[in-house]
Amino acid sequence: MASAKKAVLGPLVGAVDQGTSSTRFLVFNSKTAELLSHHQVEIKQEFPREGWVEQDPKEILQSVYECIEKTCEKLGQLNIDISNIKAIGVSNQRETTVVWDKLTGEPLYNAVVWLDLRTQSTVESLSKRIPGNNNFVKSKTGLPLSTYFSAVKLRWLLDNVRKVQKAVEEDRALFGTIDSWLIWSLTGGASGGVHCTDVTNASRTMLFNIHSLEWDKELCEFFEIPMKILPNVRSSSEIYGLMKAGALEGVPISGCLGDQSAALVGQMCFQDGQAKNTYGTGCFLLCNTGRKCVFSEHGLLTTVAYKLGRDKPVYYALEGSVAIAGAVIRWLRDNLGIIKSSEEIEKLAKEVGTSYGCYFVPAFSGLYAPYWEPSARGIICGLTQFTNKCHIAFAALEAVCFQTREILDAMNRDCGIPLSHLQVDGGMTNNKILMQLQADILYIPVVKPSMPETTALGAAMAAGAAEGVGVWSLEPEDLSAVTMERFEPQINAEVIFFSEGTRKD
């Protein structure tokens, strides 16, 4: 029997979304931005010592191949021809640091994840060497000296891992954030892989000058990082190389954005003053500041938002970074065992509709914005004999909202114009109680796109718009209208939640 006729949809674009807790591959229609199919794989996190967070770079790479193959199979079942996939974009967890051997393609150590705290003593000793009246690290990079960024993780690997030291001495070592590791591996690895990164990921290393848009010699000398191991810095939208294996062999990889920049693009925040908040492992509020660097007086970061083409201008953003958001739900699941799946948290919270005076500060990796206090640790307080797991679940959701409130307040003070609403995305936004709580705690509407995969969408847009691909127009009149769900602040949220929680359906 003849096979069914393949559906004709016009050009498609794929996106690898490699996050801290999972990897996804998603395929979009470049004309309508419709999500056609995707596949997701959870990634293991290893905690070898207190405060250490690692992942296996080979597991990450394998998960990318698996997601691509499975998505292509699903497209086949939908009678969609995968030869219509014209480009692939990459979006990734930022700052996470990998060093590998360019001759064998093997990682020389596990990936040191952005949340990792082992570099606290490195940060303390380095900070003593920065003159109080000339914080050249902050003025060049937009970042505070913190365990969060790649330079100190790389410094730790060079100081403590003999295999890394030896590979650097023998000129075999390459450094990269996850985007670099993936693009190098997908474009051939040891057989001609392309060693590059984009401006958004480079701006999170603490080695990159965000004004000149190049690796900074003075910063590399300060952190004692050999410049020969760094990737080439490219724009966020250009052809880096071609896929060398798997179902999509020969397809160009032509978009690359750190996950929070990708979400800003996917939410179409192209105007100065537009902002979005992504609820993933952490929580990240970014506000587009246009072509100018705005330095925060209130504990926010200055970062590169995107540069959508080799000859296109660079755009900057202010960022409020919260280390622990979705990670607190994973902790309740994996460490305390009070839920079996992340989705259950909403059910527990709904049962009580209040935290009943219980407060949760999930400072598992210290506190990020606006405090930058690495020694802080988590606390649950206000417990009574009445407190049960439902109250703790509710307090965990409130914690995410309170942390967002703090960074939103800082953003409003820095920008001078308060946000009139908050655009949101990320896995946690499926939780309606969280979204309503967030609107109540901020006193402004929370607006969520009906297709919440904005990070992957942003990477796909960058890839499809690249010169030489040209299947996705980023002109304002061509961008698809997005349907949104709105959560309006309610006057007396606790009463509403309580009545919902106790209603017998």
Side-chain angles (χ1 to χ4, degrees):
M1 184 181 145
S3 64
K5 189 171 179 336
K6 298 270 185 189
V8 180
L9 289 165
L12 311 179
V13 179
V16 173
D17 179 4
Q18 203 302 298
T20 316
S21 50
S22 71
T23 299
R24 292 190 279 270
F25 184 69
L26 306 91
V27 174
F28 296 93
N29 181 331
S30 66
K31 298 299 172 225
T32 63
E34 179 195 358
L35 173 59
L36 299 175
S37 187
H38 74 287
H39 188 74
Q40 179 168 353
V41 172
E42 195 168 298
I43 298 287
K44 277 202 284 293
Q45 292 182 34
E46 297 170 30
F47 307 99
R49 295 192 200 172
E50 197 263 328
W52 291 30
V53 190
E54 296 180 1
Q55 290 177 330
D56 178 354
K58 289 175 81 173
E59 183 196 341
I60 290 174
L61 178 60
Q62 198 42 51
S63 72
V64 169
Y65 278 122
E66 184 183 337
C67 288
I68 290 174
E69 298 304 312
K70 290 282 199 307
T71 304
C72 288
E73 282 171 26
K74 290 177 184 178
L75 288 170
Q77 288 158 11
L78 295 168
N79 282 334
I80 295 169
D81 190 343
I82 61 170
S83 69
N84 285 328
I85 298 175
K86 301 301 180 197
I88 293 168
V90 174
S91 142
N92 56 289
Q93 52 169 315
R94 305 169 303 169
E95 301 96 14
T96 296
T97 298
V98 189
V99 179
W100 67 94
D101 186 321
K102 67 182 176 190
L103 303 180
T104 65
E106 290 292 309
L108 295 165
Y109 192 79
N110 270 346
V112 181
V113 176
W114 57 278
L115 286 165
D116 185 281
L117 291 177
R118 75 187 68 188
T119 54
Q120 209 168 318
S121 58
T122 314
V123 167
E124 284 159 12
S125 64
L126 285 167
S127 63
K128 294 189 182 108
R129 291 173 37 206
I130 298 177
N133 60 351
N134 174 25
N135 188 341
F136 65 94
V137 175
K138 183 147 197 210
S139 60
K140 285 178 181 227
T141 66
L143 311 172
L145 192 57
S146 160
T147 58
Y148 181 20
F149 307 107
S150 316
V152 286
K153 301 177 194 298
L154 182 50
R155 183 68 255 142
W156 186 92
L157 290 168
L158 291 165
D159 287 339
N160 294 283
V161 182
R162 183 63 196 128
K163 276 170 81 171
V164 171
Q165 295 161 353
K166 197 164 181 302
V168 170
E169 286 158 16
E170 295 171 8
D171 213 10
R172 290 182 287 112
L174 295 178
F175 153 79
T177 40
I178 295 293
D179 55 306
S180 299
W181 162 244
L182 291 179
I183 291 172
W184 184 82
S185 301
L186 296 171
T187 57
S191 312
V194 178
H195 188 216
C196 69
T197 187
D198 90 297
V199 287
T200 68
N201 280 297
S203 77
R204 313 299 294 192
T205 59
M206 243 174 2
L207 300 170
F208 185 71
N209 186 314
I210 60 173
H211 312 285
S212 66
L213 301 185
E214 52 197 13
W215 299 121
D216 189 287
K217 195 163 180 293
E218 187 187 8
L219 291 170
C220 290
E221 283 168 2
F222 176 72
F223 291 105
E224 297 177 66
I225 303 296
M227 292 182 82
K228 63 183 181 183
I229 71 175
L230 303 177
N232 290 319
V233 183
R234 315 271 287 267
S235 78
S236 313
S237 176
E238 60 179 272
I239 295 175
Y240 313 111
L242 306 181
M243 288 284 287
K244 285 291 189 290
L248 298 179
E249 190 176 341
V251 176
I253 299 175
S254 54
C256 178
L257 289 153
D259 52 9
Q260 303 314 320
S261 286
L264 195 72
V265 171
Q267 286 265 30
M268 306 190 202
C269 296
F270 294 126
Q271 304 300 314
D272 190 341
Q274 286 186 304
K276 65 87 210 172
N277 195 32
T278 299
Y279 299 76
T281 297
C283 223
F284 301 90
L285 177 64
L286 269 74
C287 181
N288 188 331
T289 61
R291 298 185 194 183
K292 60 187 184 298
C293 275
V294 175
F295 282 86
S296 172
E297 301 293 315
H298 302 98
L300 304 180
L301 311 177
T302 304
T303 199
V304 175
Y306 51 81
K307 183 181 191 298
L308 294 172
R310 224 176 295 196
D311 307 320
K312 295 283 197 303
V314 64
Y315 281 73
Y316 295 95
L318 271 177
E319 172 175 323
S321 327
V322 168
I324 303 293
V328 75
I329 313 303
R330 192 167 172 162
W331 183 82
L332 291 174
R333 184 192 74 182
D334 297 346
N335 294 39
L336 291 197
I338 69 171
I339 49 174
K340 288 196 176 62
S341 74
S342 300
E343 293 69 41
E344 270 180 58
I345 191 96
E346 187 169 10
K347 202 163 115 262
L348 287 187
K350 200 169 179 174
E351 273 180 45
V352 287
T354 171
S355 59
Y356 220 84
C358 168
Y359 289 95
F360 195 156
V361 181
F364 301 159
S365 292
L367 286 168
Y368 283 13
Y371 304 104
W372 300 106
E373 183 41 79
S375 62
R377 288 297 175 268
I379 186 171
I380 302 176
C381 62
L383 302 174
T384 68
Q385 283 177 307
F386 182 70
T387 310
N388 63 31
K389 63 182 183 180
C390 299
H391 300 114
I392 290 171
F394 198 94
L397 296 182
E398 280 187 322
V400 175
C401 299
F402 286 137
Q403 291 183 107
T404 298
R405 170 69 194 256
E406 283 193 303
I407 53 177
L408 187 87
D409 287 349
M411 190 78 75
N412 286 341
R413 286 201 293 274
D414 274 325
C415 295
I417 306 160
L419 289 176
S420 59
H421 65 276
L422 184 64
Q423 286 177 233
V424 302
D425 57 79
M428 289 186 85
T429 60
N430 292 326
N431 185 323
K432 285 187 162 43
I433 287 197
L434 177 73
M435 293 294 94
Q436 187 56 58
L437 257 180
Q438 189 66 85
D440 296 334
I441 285 170
L442 297 179
Y443 304 125
I444 57 173
V446 167
V447 183
K448 172 195 163 198
S450 53
M451 198 288 295
E453 299 288 355
T454 47
T455 300
L457 177 61
M461 288 164 67
E467 192 181 330
V469 177
V471 298
W472 203 308
S473 168
L474 298 183
E475 295 305 319
E477 63 274 13
D478 296 326
L479 293 172
S480 317
V482 180
T483 52
M484 297 283 194
E485 187 176 357
R486 273 176 86 88
F487 295 85
E488 298 285 344
Q490 292 173 340
I491 309 304
N492 194 341
E494 278 194 9
V495 171
I496 288 154
F497 282 132
F498 205 63
S499 62
E500 266 196 20
T502 53
R503 194 172 61 217
K504 298 282 179 283
D505 289 321

